[in-house]
Amino acid sequence: QVQLVESGGGLVQAGGSLRLSCAASGSTSSITSMGWHRQAPGNQRELVAVHTSGGITNYADSVKGRFTISRDNAKNTVWLQMNSLKPEDTAVYYCFANALAAVSGYNQYWGQGTQVTVSS
């Protein structure tokens, strides 16, 4: 089992910045990729950014050039630096971790979510 605890959400004006943190605990040695999804009211959850265990990062087109994902494996922590925020970035942001299952395949774990609100 992996537990994820997020922090860093809040209210910011358009053009501002926020930094989200997600700390993993439990069976952290089984974690492969970590990242962030977000879900705005009335919308489906969408992938924002992912950081693989090999150091590869991928971003949603809507956040490329504005958001940066980083990770410290020793601290079992992933961050999402969000710059030039727009009102359309308003959503609940969820940290996730993919971890190797005991027998085969992967399990996916989720944090509780943190609200990001960008005012115009």
Side-chain angles (χ1 to χ4, degrees):
Q1 293 286 327
V2 173
Q3 295 79 42
L4 301 172
V5 178
E6 302 140 339
S7 61
L11 173 65
V12 65
Q13 289 188 331
S17 299
L18 282 174
R19 191 188 195 208
L20 306 182
S21 299
C22 175
S25 60
S27 301
T28 56
S29 61
S30 65
I31 293 175
T32 56
S33 56
M34 296 183 72
W36 299 87
H37 278 71
R38 68 185 180 186
Q39 187 167 20
N43 291 354
Q44 290 186 333
R45 191 173 294 193
E46 63 171 347
L47 177 66
V48 176
V50 60
H51 191 296
T52 70
S53 56
I56 296 172
T57 58
N58 280 303
Y59 298 91
D61 288 342
S62 58
V63 307
K64 283 181 181 176
R66 299 187 298 121
F67 290 11
T68 302
I69 188 170
S70 59
R71 180 175 171 181
D72 186 328
N73 290 327
K75 296 181 179 179
N76 299 309
T77 300
V78 65
W79 296 272
L80 185 68
Q81 178 66 43
M82 305 184 293
N83 298 329
S84 302
L85 282 160
K86 304 175 181 180
E88 50 264 44
D89 294 318
T90 296
V92 178
Y93 284 70
Y94 297 92
C95 174
F96 73 91
N98 294 322
L100 294 170
V103 177
S104 64
Y106 291 85
N107 292 320
Q108 190 166 66
Y109 299 92
W110 295 90
Q112 78 281 4
T114 185
Q115 177 71 46
V116 171
T117 303
V118 184
S119 63
S120 57

